[in-house]
Amino acid sequence: MEEVARLMRGFADGSIPGSQLAAGLGVETSGIDLSREHWSFTAGDLPTADGYRIESFEVRVRQGGFDDAPFVLLYVHDTPCLPFRQFALAAGAHERVEFPSSAHDPASGWVSGYAHESESGGRFLVASGHDEWKCVTLMTAARN
């Protein structure tokens, strides 16, 4: 998952385009019009080299197509548990943040996380949405 965090941080700081992030995660994008604007791309059940599983990878595409997408979400399966705080800090996310329940899913509960803001204004977040906040369940990367 260290490589996943490196890719997500690179996406957030603008040094890694969306297609390179997807390829690094093992996501197949051939046959897809990556220049298309205003759509969402989703892939799921992706194994990582170190034995973890990505439940879902979503790229929110706006103007400029896939490589210029402003936001990606990556949901991490909690079995095996990727230790939340330990992983976040090792990945360079040190700013503690918390978010209330989603308006779309009020039962989701609070999300606790650690964020890293790049010099370019991009933001990488490692979060846990479970009550005990033991395992990483979500990573996001947003660019300015």
Side-chain angles (χ1 to χ4, degrees), residues 70-108:
F71 188 72
V72 296
L73 292 137
L74 191 146
Y75 290 94
V76 179
H77 199 284
D78 60 1
T79 305
C81 178
L82 179 59
F84 167 53
R85 186 171 188 277
Q86 176 185 349
F87 177 78
L89 297 176
H94 300 277
E95 177 192 348
R96 181 79 173 170
V97 294
E98 293 197 10
F99 303 96
S101 300
S102 165
H104 302 288
D105 183 10
S108 63

Side-chain angles (χ1 to χ4, degrees), residues 31-47:
I32 298 171
D33 179 5
L34 298 180
S35 66
R36 195 172 76 198
E37 297 182 344
H38 304 286
W39 61 291
S40 290
F41 171 86
T42 304
D45 197 27
L46 306 165

Side-chain angles (χ1 to χ4, degrees), residues 11 17-24 27-43 57-70 72 143:
F11 179 88
S19 58
Q20 186 178 341
L21 171 61
V27 174
E28 179 60 48
T29 58
S30 65
I32 298 171
D33 179 5
L34 298 180
S35 66
R36 195 172 76 198
E37 297 182 344
H38 304 286
W39 61 291
S40 290
F41 171 86
T42 304
F57 169 64
E58 180 180 347
V59 180
R60 295 189 180 166
V61 181
R62 301 299 174 252
Q63 291 181 314
F66 197 89
D67 278 340
D68 294 325
V72 296
R143 13 178 171 190

